[in-house]
Amino acid sequence: MKIVHFSDLHLDSTFAWAGASGDAARQRRQALRDTLRRIADLTREAGADALFCGGDLFEHERASPDTAEFLRRTFGDLTPVPVYLAPGNHDWYGPDSLYARVEWSQNVHVFREAAFQPVQLTDGVTLWGAAHQAPANTDNFLDEFRADGPGIHLALFHGAERSWFSEQDEGKQPHAPFDASQIGEAGFHHAFLGHYHRPKDAERHTYPGNPDPLAFGEDGVRGAVVATIGLDGSVTRERRVVAQTKVYDFDLDVTGCTTQQQVRDRLAERVDGLGGFARLTLLGDFEPSVSLGEDDLRDVMGGFDAVRMDFAQLQSGYDIESLRREQTVRGRFVSDVLEAELPPDEQRRVLTTGLRALEGRDDLEVL
């Protein structure tokens, strides 16, 4: 049989990370809905026998009645293809959750218990699903569990595989933590999972990753997974990209730029023809003679919906140690700033602004 699996869509996210507000934030939230519709289209096109969601479909605290109706219609339109939903820590199941309030169509099955419950997918294939019932402190679903009976047994849940947890850089918490070895020990041929936003295809489990960009710095091919389950319980997988929005991380080394125009030209060459959302990190030694503000760079990136700029890794072009040794007002100023033990980026800004002012310059806006 063939299934489509996804997780971690996070409908109704705020997208504060992107520096997006107003129209840009609404655009990103709409993009998540468009991605779910493409996942539904993929389910039809692939001729899948079922659609799985491994949790964090939406944000519990922000889910609106409009989101509820959107989900009801999107999944209902897949009838007769069954849809199986295993709530995670962000969309946990409770009496007041969206999952409990929606009158789902008959093809939708929501797992509601914090322990594995079985449903028959087809002759000889059983799906076991479990739900988070709180936003935190969910125990390991696999502890002391065994899927008994003949045939193929599959699992669908939201959890953190322990050996991979240390490799995550997303600030993840180990919700419903488990060991990969427990999947086989529990009698499962394969587990379809959610929680980690980084995709992973392991021998007995699959993390699809978030199907639409949620943060800067994401790596790996994210999307929906089309999985074919063989007669022996083996799984072959094909990843399909379903997002249209692009999120970029740009590093721009300004070392050697002695004019504002050189910085702008270097940036324009880097972003030519691109759009979406971007984080720009400036690196290198920033020449004291260069007059440059955020607005001087934002217009170069006018093709993007939203841009976040990070200047914390810039280094001042001033020879600070030499200036510190001067028996001058300038030297005293530098010493005082260094002794204040400011955060590195703030220290650089204060030093550059003050030194420019002492030089009689009026371009005091500092990146």
Side-chain angles (χ1 to χ4, degrees), residues 142-203:
L142 292 164
D143 280 346
E144 301 181 4
F145 176 83
R146 178 71 189 181
D148 294 321
I152 297 169
H153 296 275
L154 306 175
L156 177 64
F157 66 96
H158 195 85
E161 196 274 299
R162 288 190 180 99
S163 71
W164 209 38
F165 179 75
S166 61
E167 298 181 27
Q168 305 303 308
D169 56 359
E170 303 162 346
K172 285 288 185 187
Q173 298 300 311
H175 297 285
F178 68 95
D179 296 320
S181 61
Q182 290 184 283
I183 295 171
E185 292 166 0
F188 292 125
H189 291 79
H190 203 87
F192 294 95
L193 304 169
H195 186 51
Y196 291 141
H197 291 181
R198 185 177 295 167
K200 184 176 186 178
D201 291 343
E203 181 181 0

Side-chain angles (χ1 to χ4, degrees), residues 181-243:
S181 61
Q182 290 184 283
I183 295 171
E185 292 166 0
F188 292 125
H189 291 79
H190 203 87
F192 294 95
L193 304 169
H195 186 51
Y196 291 141
H197 291 181
R198 185 177 295 167
K200 184 176 186 178
D201 291 343
E203 181 181 0
R204 284 189 177 264
H205 64 273
T206 300
Y207 282 104
N210 51 296
D212 198 278
L214 293 170
F216 293 114
E218 294 179 341
D219 59 357
V221 179
R222 289 161 162 77
V225 174
V226 180
T228 302
I229 296 97
L231 296 176
D232 59 353
S234 61
V235 173
T236 58
R237 291 158 292 204
E238 179 186 356
R239 292 185 172 274
R240 300 283 190 90
V241 175
V242 289

Side-chain angles (χ1 to χ4, degrees), residues 330-344:
R330 187 169 63 172
R332 181 71 264 171
F333 165 72
V334 171
S335 294
D336 289 344
V337 173
L338 295 179
E339 291 170 5
E341 297 183 351
L342 300 172

Side-chain angles (χ1 to χ4, degrees), residues 291-304:
S291 175
L292 188 69
E294 271 196 35
D295 289 342
D296 298 312
L297 299 181
R298 287 195 180 278
D299 73 297
V300 179
M301 302 186 74
F304 289 86

Side-chain angles (χ1 to χ4, degrees), residues 114-132:
F116 285 119
Q117 302 296 313
V119 293
Q120 201 73 20
L121 292 183
T122 187
D123 288 343
V125 182
T126 303
L127 176 66
W128 299 79
H132 288 244

